[in-house]
Amino acid sequence: PSLNLEKRTAMNDFNAIFQLCEALGTAAFAVSGAMVAIDKGTDIFGVLLMAVFTALGGGTLRDVLIGHFPPRMFTNFHYVLLSCICALAVFIIARIFKERYIERERLIEQVNNVFDAIGLGIFAVSEAGFADNIFLTTFLGTTTAIGGGMLRDVLLQEMPFVLKKRVYAVAAIVGALGYALLMRMGVNGVMAYALGMMATIAVRILATVFRWNLPKAI
């Protein structure tokens, strides 16, 4: 009985950490999506919509792939609300400080990259329910991490960032695969989650700083 209690306690602690990180990842991706939408000149509705799609689009694609209906995006409004609040905050700041916002475009891009890396890292290791299947865990984690950004870029009529620059998907794969392998090796769930997340964030930041790109044919 005491062992079962310890397992339940550990599971509850992991779920609490996961929910906190998921909220942080949602906020980070929402801010990133809002910044991209503002840069493309969309109105306030476009900013809100792109923030929600960036933050929750990948998770929705994941739910469709695993047959979870309706997708969690439509049953848990808290994350949609969080995305909208973050996007609205970015919109208000950009509108009030319009001239400074435009002048500091380079700095804003760097801030956007940081938020994007955080969201990518958190969602790349979000598939705790399929630890016994390394390929599925990696595939779903990567889809969750990059799917929202791809939807955003398609809607903004841009080539998805993941297909052209900064080893974006590779960073998500590294974290998702690392997490899956660590779980298979019996590493503590929280430790595996943290290491996988940090691996993705590190690769993404390093790729941005050192301008790492995958080779192109032309």
Side-chain angles (χ1 to χ4, degrees):
S2 60
L3 182 60
N4 290 334
L5 179 60
E6 289 178 4
K7 287 183 177 180
R8 287 197 297 269
T9 302
M11 183 60 68
N12 290 335
D13 290 342
F14 178 78
N15 288 336
I17 293 172
F18 176 77
Q19 289 174 2
L20 178 62
C21 289
E22 195 172 48
L24 178 60
T26 299
F29 262 167
V31 169
S32 174
M35 287 181 170
V36 172
I38 290 171
D39 183 60
K40 296 300 180 183
T42 68
D43 59 18
I44 186 170
F45 179 77
V47 171
L48 294 174
L49 191 63
M50 292 305 102
V52 171
F53 277 8
T54 305
L56 305 176
T60 300
L61 288 175
R62 172 205 60 207
D63 288 345
V64 171
L65 288 172
I66 63 176
H68 188 285
F69 296 105
R72 294 174 180 85
M73 173 181 172
F74 301 105
T75 58
N76 191 342
F77 73 93
H78 299 95
Y79 288 134
V80 176
L81 181 60
L82 176 61
S83 300
C84 290
I85 291 173
C86 292
L88 187 60
V90 174
F91 180 86
I92 291 173
I93 290 171
R95 186 170 176 82
I96 293 176
F97 303 102
K98 185 180 300 185
E99 293 182 0
R100 293 182 184 179
Y101 193 92
I102 295 173
E103 289 174 357
R104 299 180 181 180
E105 182 177 357
R106 176 62 179 168
L107 175 61
I108 290 169
E109 181 182 354
Q110 293 174 347
V111 172
N112 183 28
N113 283 332
V114 172
F115 278 106
D116 193 69
I118 293 172
L120 191 74
I122 290 173
F123 286 119
V125 293
S126 61
E127 299 313 310
F130 301 97
D132 58 330
N133 188 325
I134 292 178
F135 177 74
L136 183 59
T137 299
T138 304
F139 179 79
L140 291 179
T142 303
T143 299
T144 305
I146 70 175
M150 292 184 70
L151 286 174
R152 175 202 64 211
D153 291 343
V154 169
L155 289 171
L156 292 174
Q157 297 184 331
E158 288 283 321
M159 177 185 287
F161 190 85
V162 66
L163 300 180
K164 62 180 181 179
K165 208 169 186 181
R166 302 290 187 270
V167 296
Y168 193 86
V170 174
I173 292 171
V174 167
L177 179 59
Y179 168 70
L181 290 173
L182 289 170
M183 290 293 289
R184 173 63 67 88
M185 293 166 57
V187 174
N188 175 270
V190 175
M191 181 63 70
Y193 185 89
L195 290 174
M197 178 174 60
M198 288 189 293
T200 295
I201 294 174
V203 172
R204 177 76 177 92
I205 294 295
L206 289 172
T208 300
V209 172
F210 295 105
R211 299 183 178 279
W212 294 341
N213 292 304
L214 296 176
K216 299 179 181 178
I218 300 176

